[in-house]
Amino acid sequence: MHRRATIRRSLLARPAFSSPTLARVRQLALIGTGWSLIGLGALMSPLPGPFGFPVALAGGVILLRNSADARRLFVRLKRRHPRLLSPVERIRVKLRHRRNAARAKAAASA
């Protein structure tokens, strides 16, 4: 019973027009967007104010969510320099817990 409900929920979550090529094009577009935002953030960094950092951070988030190579690099850097990346990891863990709590609440109400 539980497995059937999970399968039904996963089928409902998928867009009806999704195809493997469309998903790959979307992924490549998001990876390109992430790199573009990182580059834009680097170009904006000399400007007065903290404008470049949030833009580059948003690009990094998009890239980490859509690129396996970027995730591997992030894990490698995190293992090499744990003190440098600990604030980023803390934020990631906090957001993951918040997302899981929201999913559990939605599942309980459904």
Side-chain angles (χ1 to χ4, degrees):
M1 179 81 176
H2 174 70
R3 180 161 171 73
R4 185 178 298 161
T6 304
I7 291 171
R8 190 176 329 128
R9 225 177 300 130
S10 68
L11 289 175
L12 291 175
R14 264 188 227 151
F17 58 88
S18 179
S19 69
T21 56
L22 183 63
R24 183 68 178 154
V25 168
R26 179 183 175 273
Q27 181 184 23
L28 289 173
L30 286 170
I31 289 171
T33 302
W35 278 116
S36 299
L37 285 175
I38 289 173
L40 184 65
L43 289 175
M44 291 173 59
S45 63
L47 294 175
F51 300 115
F53 181 71
V55 172
L57 187 64
V61 168
I62 291 171
L63 202 58
L64 281 174
R65 289 185 62 113
N66 294 292
S67 171
D69 292 335
R71 283 191 294 269
R72 276 193 295 273
L73 178 64
F74 180 73
V75 168
R76 193 177 314 139
L77 286 172
K78 195 170 63 170
R79 287 181 182 155
R80 268 193 204 149
H81 309 287
R83 292 183 73 191
L84 182 67
L85 293 173
S86 64
V88 176
E89 185 61 21
R90 240 183 322 216
I91 292 170
R92 281 186 62 243
V93 168
K94 188 185 294 187
L95 290 174
R96 185 182 323 133
H97 287 308
R98 187 182 302 170
R99 187 172 48 243
N100 288 342
R103 286 180 183 163
K105 185 178 178 182
S109 66

